[in-house]
Amino acid sequence: MQRASRLKRELSLLTTEPPPGITCWQNENQLNDLRAQILGGADTPYEKGIFNLEIVVPERYPFEPPKIRFLTPIYHPNIDSAGRICLDVLKLPPKGAWRPSLNISTLLTSIQLLMAEPNPDDPLMADISSEYKYNRQLFLLNAKEWTEKYASQ
């Protein structure tokens, strides 16, 4: 019951006061199955891209973080080909930084920040990470190409 009322509150807040460039909604009236869209930030290789995400809210939410993954392919050192995201707030301690005081809006904003500022020292995609570190021009070119190919409307 606590999960349902909290999710309703969070979704209503995401609808009335969404973070800039982020939208989130229920998928087919399933409270534990959400969808989100993040717009690629200006001055990033993801600019003008629209990225779709799936959010699965576990039974134990907010004591357990939601599982979030990209449905839109993205060229990024911290996001793998299955759309899984390497981000500390998406994992429980001791490895992660999830806290029940965080919410879906905070997580989506953190993912948006990660898109703009990749963390090449904690990669899911080692090859993209070393490209990001040692050949930034090629990384930017590839990321832009993927954005045009997969995230353009």
Side-chain angles (χ1 to χ4, degrees):
M1 193 61 212
Q2 183 184 4
R3 175 181 87 140
S5 60
R6 172 156 167 172
L7 273 172
K8 280 195 178 84
R9 210 170 44 246
E10 283 190 39
L11 274 171
S12 125
L13 203 59
L14 275 160
T15 308
T16 54
E17 298 170 40
I22 294 174
T23 49
C24 184
W25 64 93
Q26 264 177 279
N27 189 34
E28 298 171 4
N29 289 329
Q30 297 291 317
L31 198 55
N32 63 343
D33 185 13
L34 310 177
R35 292 291 178 269
Q37 271 186 344
I38 296 180
L39 301 179
D43 304 321
T44 74
Y46 311 109
E47 190 169 8
K48 293 192 174 84
I50 298 172
F51 297 88
N52 293 305
L53 293 91
E54 169 189 75
I55 303 167
V56 177
V57 184
E59 281 298 318
R60 296 198 57 241
Y61 182 80
F63 303 104
E64 215 173 272
K67 293 190 181 1
I68 303 180
R69 72 181 185 96
F70 275 79
L71 297 173
T72 307
I74 181 171
Y75 194 84
H76 194 286
N78 307 106
I79 302 159
D80 73 8
S81 52
R84 291 179 302 225
I85 306 159
C86 182
L87 186 63
D88 59 353
V89 291
L90 293 175
K91 297 187 286 257
L92 283 167
K95 285 193 171 103
W98 170 257
R99 295 184 315 279
S101 58
L102 295 173
N103 60 34
I104 291 166
S105 177
T106 318
L107 293 179
L108 291 171
T109 305
S110 299
I111 292 168
Q112 191 182 41
L113 276 169
L114 181 71
M115 286 169 69
E117 299 285 327
N119 177 3
D121 299 323
D122 189 17
L124 268 180
M125 303 297 279
D127 48 342
I128 298 175
S129 173
S130 71
E131 192 178 280
Y132 180 83
K133 277 179 164 172
Y134 306 114
N135 192 346
R136 187 68 57 95
Q137 284 314 108
L138 182 62
F139 166 78
L140 293 170
L141 193 73
N142 284 330
K144 266 193 183 112
E145 224 171 74
W146 276 50
T147 300
E148 284 163 19
K149 188 173 175 183
Y150 300 109
S152 295
Q153 288 306 303

